[in-house]
């Protein structure tokens, strides 16, 4: 098939600044890449910036951001946010919804009729639509408007939302898929019976650069002891309360002087007795984030809900090994493929893994170096771009 | 970028082997009675969701439940961090605590009874299920041995 020319990317928010999630960052990066490869790209998103209220916060209209044409559309004003949240919480708890309730959840989801109308009106000028993640109303709307041209970038993981009828319908309706990792693709095949050639693993590219100075962050922050680092949203879904509890138990049980550095957004509840040993740095600049990663004993990602972790790849790029939750098939897969980190399924495994990191520095450094090599080989832009273009043209 | 890189999965550290070693160490230490401290048990409360499909779930769940079942209604040290009026504030807090304790003691006692009964029922059920399953597996093995049929892989239940 000849190369497709005109591509629309659809995401519920547009990644500007560091406060936006990984999926939005990924879609923006892929859109920019497709554009630099000579495709005509337009980015469609909503005026919302807050992922809880989804209130329209930025003006509607078309703006050029970093050379990319971005159209901002309002989230539907008639959505009942509290009703949506109630249903969303029920689904999250694994409770089964009736067909009507599920339709209600979708109806009050993050929808934008204006965005859907734009897609329908411009159908003749579009060859492909890349939309994600799968949980959002605008993505369902995009797939509804141009199903035969939509590539779903689902960011799927094994969670109650994946088992909804609406999700099954969405996966059954679109033209193809852009996956972040092999385990994500395998999960989609298992849940929705996809054919082996339905979709490609694309991922994200990272700009190659040398590891940051590993002494810079500890000396700037006065950190004398080794530290474990986490960066990202701090919330139960991401496993941060688990990390804080495990860290506290590790210090108490082993008596070792280890510190925890938490970067990113969201509240984190640290018990009073642990506070002197936890450094909550909030948002860091890119440079500081890399320095913090480079200086860490290990980068810990305790979330089981991931389809790819950009921060994990960034930590590897800084030659820092990973310590991830075994419950995340994707993270485990990445650590195995890279030989760049260990995984724990319970507190005792967490403790023993950290002891390995602390007591076997050569092994730890080796894992870090292998992580970096893996990222340079697999997550470089030329490779990722080739996969993306192949997915678009398929 | 040109860099003397490893080939992915080149010889050297093997994280699969390392994880296996770690698991063996954990199993050995567990058998010797390690990780029974309250902080290690309590730390697992956020992990129950992730263990849901694991064989270890019920064990971790019961450990967490044992740790949390009894509401602590004993007196505790009442402190005041603000320097100004510290003795006065401490005295006020102590009085409040005594009043609250007096009015809610009955409630706590009932809650403790319910929690204890619930835990006992679950433990009993778990023990009985394990015994029943072991007996059934032994019976199947014996039956298969008698009939000369090939042994099936162990059940996951």
């Amino acid at each position: 098939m000849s190369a497709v020319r005109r591509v629309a990317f659809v995401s519920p928010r547009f990644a500007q600044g560091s406060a936006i999630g990984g999926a939005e960052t990924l879609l923006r990066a892929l859109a920019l890449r497709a554009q630099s490869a000579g495709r005509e790209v337009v980015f469609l998103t909503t005026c919302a910036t807050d992922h809880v209220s989804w209130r329209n916060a930025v003006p509607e209209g078309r703006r050029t951001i970093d050379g990319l044409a971005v159209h901002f559309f309002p989230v539907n004003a008639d959505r009942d946010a509290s009703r949506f949240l109630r249903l969303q919480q029920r689904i999250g708890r694994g409770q089964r919804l009736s067909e009507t309730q599920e339709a209600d959840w979708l109806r009050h989801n993050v929808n934008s009729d204006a965005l859907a109308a734009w897609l329908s009106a411009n159908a003749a000028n579009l060859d492909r639509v890349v939309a994600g993640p799968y949980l959002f109303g605008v993505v369902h709307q995009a797939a509804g408007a141009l199903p035969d041209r939509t590539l779903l970038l689902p960011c799927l993981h094994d969670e109650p939302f994946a088992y909804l009828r609406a999700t099954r319908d969405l996966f059954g309706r679109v033209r193809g898929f852009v996956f972040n990792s092999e385990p994500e693709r395998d999960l989609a095949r298992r849940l929705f019976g996809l054919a082996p050639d339905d979709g490609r693993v694309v991922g994200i590219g990272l700009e190659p650069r040398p590891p940051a100075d590993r002494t810079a962050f500890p000396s700037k922050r006065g950190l004398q002891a080794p530290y474990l680092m986490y960066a990202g949203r701090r919330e139960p879904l991401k496993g941060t309360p688990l990390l804080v509890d495990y860290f506290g138990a590790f210090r108490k049980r082993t008596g070792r002087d280890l510190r925890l550095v938490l970067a990113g957004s969201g509240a984190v509840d640290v018990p009073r007795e642990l506070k002197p040993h936890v450094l909550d740095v909030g948002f860091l600049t890119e440079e500081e984030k890399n320095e913090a990663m480079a200086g860490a004993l290990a980068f810990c990602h305790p979330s089981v809900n991931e389809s790819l972790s950009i921060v994990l790849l960034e930590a590897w790029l800084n030659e820092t090994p990973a310590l991830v939750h075994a419950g995340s098939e994707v993270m485990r897969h990445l650590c195995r493929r890279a030989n760049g980190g260990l995984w724990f399924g319970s507190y005792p495994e967490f403790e023993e893994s950290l002891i390995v990191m602390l007591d076997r520095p050569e092994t730890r450094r080796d894992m870090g170096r292998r992580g970096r090599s893996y990222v340079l080989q697999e997550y470089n832009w030329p490779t990722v771009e080739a996969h993306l273009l192949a997915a678009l043209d398929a | 970028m040109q860099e003397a890189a490893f080939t992915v999965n080149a010889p050297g550290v093997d994280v699969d082997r390392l994880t296996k070693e770690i698991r063996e160490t954990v199993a050995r230490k567990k058998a010797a009675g390690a990780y029974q401290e309250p902080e290690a048990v309590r730390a697992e409360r956020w992990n129950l969701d992730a263990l849901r499909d694991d064989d270890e779930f019920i064990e971790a769940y019961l450990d967490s439940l044992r740790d949390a079942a009894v509401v602590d209604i004993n007196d505790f040290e009442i402190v005041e961090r603000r320097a100004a009026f510290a003795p006065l504030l401490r005295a006020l807090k102590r009085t409040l605590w005594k009043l609250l304790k007096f009015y809610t003691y009955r409630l706590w006692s009932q809650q403790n009874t319910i929690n204890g009964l619930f835990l006992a029922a679950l433990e009993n059920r778990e023990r009985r299920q394990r015994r029943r399953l072991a007996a059934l597996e032994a019976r199947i093995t014996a039956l298969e041995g008698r009939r000369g049929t090939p042994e099936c892989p162990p059940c996951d239940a």
Side-chain angles (χ1 to χ4, degrees):
Chain A
M1 185 173 174
S2 62
V4 304
R5 256 183 348 104
R6 299 157 304 181
V7 189
F9 282 76
V10 177
S11 168
R13 292 185 296 171
F14 184 71
Q16 278 177 291
S18 48
I20 299 277
E24 291 91 337
T25 305
L26 172 66
L27 275 148
R28 180 182 190 268
L30 294 181
L32 283 166
R33 219 61 210 186
Q35 183 167 273
S36 70
R39 311 298 167 101
E40 284 174 35
V41 173
V42 62
F43 202 104
L44 312 178
T45 189
T46 73
C47 300
T49 54
D50 174 49
H51 74 284
V52 179
S53 70
W54 292 100
R55 267 194 290 275
N56 292 310
V58 297
E60 296 174 41
R62 181 184 187 278
R63 294 190 278 286
T64 304
I65 301 170
D66 293 337
L68 192 64
V70 186
H71 289 253
F72 291 89
F73 298 94
V75 173
N76 288 354
D78 63 348
R79 77 184 284 260
D80 184 341
S82 53
R83 196 166 173 178
F84 168 71
L85 278 175
R86 264 200 315 277
L87 290 166
Q88 176 101 338
Q89 281 164 1
R90 285 186 62 180
I91 301 169
R93 285 197 297 265
Q95 293 172 357
R96 213 174 146 73
L97 299 191
S98 69
E99 216 161 317
T100 321
Q101 286 170 322
E102 231 186 75
D104 228 23
W105 170 77
L106 204 52
R107 151 105 180 72
H108 297 288
N109 202 305
V110 185
N111 292 304
S112 172
D113 291 348
L115 187 151
W118 190 96
L119 272 175
S120 300
N122 290 277
N125 302 319
L126 290 171
D127 301 316
R128 287 285 180 274
V129 177
V130 181
Y134 79 97
L135 283 172
F136 294 95
V138 286
V139 175
H140 288 252
Q141 286 182 302
L146 300 173
D148 56 331
R149 277 169 267 182
T150 297
L151 299 181
L152 180 65
L153 193 148
C155 299
L156 179 73
H157 23 82
D158 197 354
E159 57 182 349
F161 296 93
Y163 296 86
L164 297 177
R165 297 173 198 89
T167 306
R168 175 167 282 279
D169 288 349
L170 177 68
F171 274 76
R173 192 191 305 158
V174 294
R175 175 189 182 91
F177 305 91
V178 173
F179 293 114
N180 288 326
S181 62
E182 284 89 353
E184 184 198 10
R185 183 198 55 201
D186 297 344
L187 175 66
R189 282 182 184 167
R190 201 165 68 236
L191 293 181
F192 309 114
L194 305 185
D197 57 346
D198 277 348
R200 277 166 196 269
V201 176
V202 173
I204 192 169
L206 266 66
E207 294 299 339
R209 49 168 177 71
D213 176 3
R214 64 170 60 98
T215 61
F217 184 81
S219 72
K220 275 183 206 164
R221 302 280 178 159
L223 274 166
Q224 309 284 332
Y227 62 92
L228 191 61
M229 186 185 177
Y230 168 81
R233 281 206 316 274
R234 285 96 64 99
E235 56 177 39
L237 262 180
K238 292 286 177 187
T240 39
L242 173 102
L243 175 58
V244 170
D245 271 10
Y246 275 17
F247 170 71
F250 180 84
R251 277 188 60 91
K252 203 162 181 186
R253 272 185 42 81
T254 64
R256 296 191 185 218
D257 190 11
L258 181 73
R259 307 296 165 96
L260 177 63
V261 171
L262 298 169
S265 65
V268 59
D269 190 15
V270 179
R272 188 183 291 160
E273 68 274 14
L274 266 189
K275 279 194 171 145
H277 314 295
V278 176
L279 184 59
D280 183 354
V281 290
F283 277 114
L284 294 173
T285 61
E286 275 302 300
E287 187 189 349
E288 257 195 312
K289 183 176 74 180
N290 285 313
E291 287 171 353
M293 284 173 166
L297 175 81
F299 183 82
C300 186
H301 210 315
S303 169
V304 295
N305 297 311
E306 300 297 321
S307 61
L308 179 69
S309 169
I310 299 171
V311 279
L312 176 71
L313 302 180
E314 287 174 337
W316 274 340
L317 208 48
N318 285 299
E319 292 192 340
T320 299
L323 183 57
V324 304
H325 200 296
S328 167
E329 220 168 295
V330 170
M331 303 294 235
R332 221 172 51 221
H333 167 84
L334 287 172
C335 284
R336 264 206 180 109
R337 287 277 296 130
N339 251 326
L342 302 173
W343 52 93
F344 58 90
S346 60
Y347 171 74
E349 288 173 17
F350 174 85
E351 183 180 301
E352 294 303 327
S353 302
L354 269 183
I355 289 172
V356 166
M357 299 275 189
L358 284 163
D359 292 353
R360 289 157 73 170
E362 195 40 58
T363 303
R364 190 186 75 79
R365 277 194 290 273
D366 197 8
M367 285 192 280
R369 286 193 293 261
R370 282 164 194 282
R372 177 173 168 79
S373 295
Y374 176 67
V375 174
L376 292 175
Q377 283 178 44
E378 302 287 323
Y379 291 90
N380 61 74
W381 272 119
T383 305
V384 172
E385 188 178 301
H387 291 319
L388 171 66
L389 298 181
L392 288 174
D393 297 339
Chain B
M1 186 176 183
Q2 286 301 309
E3 186 163 324
F6 295 97
T7 305
V8 171
N9 283 329
V13 68
D14 177 349
V15 294
D16 267 319
R17 190 177 46 76
L18 212 46
T19 307
K20 193 166 166 261
E21 270 176 39
I22 287 168
R23 291 208 164 141
E24 284 165 3
T25 308
V26 167
R28 204 172 50 247
K29 285 189 176 179
K30 262 188 177 171
Y35 314 115
Q36 294 301 314
E37 300 85 345
E39 59 272 11
V41 171
R42 206 166 301 140
E44 221 58 291
R45 68 195 159 143
W46 290 103
N47 202 28
L48 289 175
D49 232 21
L51 292 174
R52 193 170 285 173
D53 294 330
D54 278 23
D55 292 341
E56 290 163 34
F57 170 78
I58 194 73
E59 199 184 312
Y61 176 83
L62 285 174
D63 278 346
S64 293
L65 195 61
R66 274 182 211 111
D67 179 59
V70 182
V71 180
D72 183 3
I73 54 176
N74 293 311
D75 288 334
F76 58 99
E77 192 196 355
I78 290 175
V79 292
E80 175 52 51
R81 287 176 186 278
R82 285 163 290 196
F85 310 113
L88 189 67
L89 288 168
R90 245 192 324 266
L92 182 68
K93 282 183 181 178
R94 280 200 195 109
T95 312
L96 272 173
W97 165 245
K98 277 181 189 158
L99 276 171
L100 284 171
K101 193 177 163 181
F102 176 75
Y103 285 110
T104 50
Y105 189 84
R106 199 173 138 78
L107 193 73
W108 288 334
S109 306
Q110 284 177 3
Q111 188 63 57
N112 275 345
T113 309
I114 292 166
N115 290 357
L117 287 171
F118 180 61
L119 178 63
L122 272 179
E123 284 179 324
N124 171 278
R125 201 166 169 74
E126 161 68 1
R127 267 196 307 272
R128 285 174 68 90
Q129 292 277 39
R130 273 184 200 275
R131 276 205 298 265
R132 196 159 168 239
L133 204 64
L136 280 170
E137 279 175 353
R139 205 170 141 203
I140 290 170
T141 311
L143 281 169
E144 281 174 349
R146 213 179 300 159
R147 294 181 61 177
T149 48
E151 202 178 320
C152 73
C155 302
D156 264 350

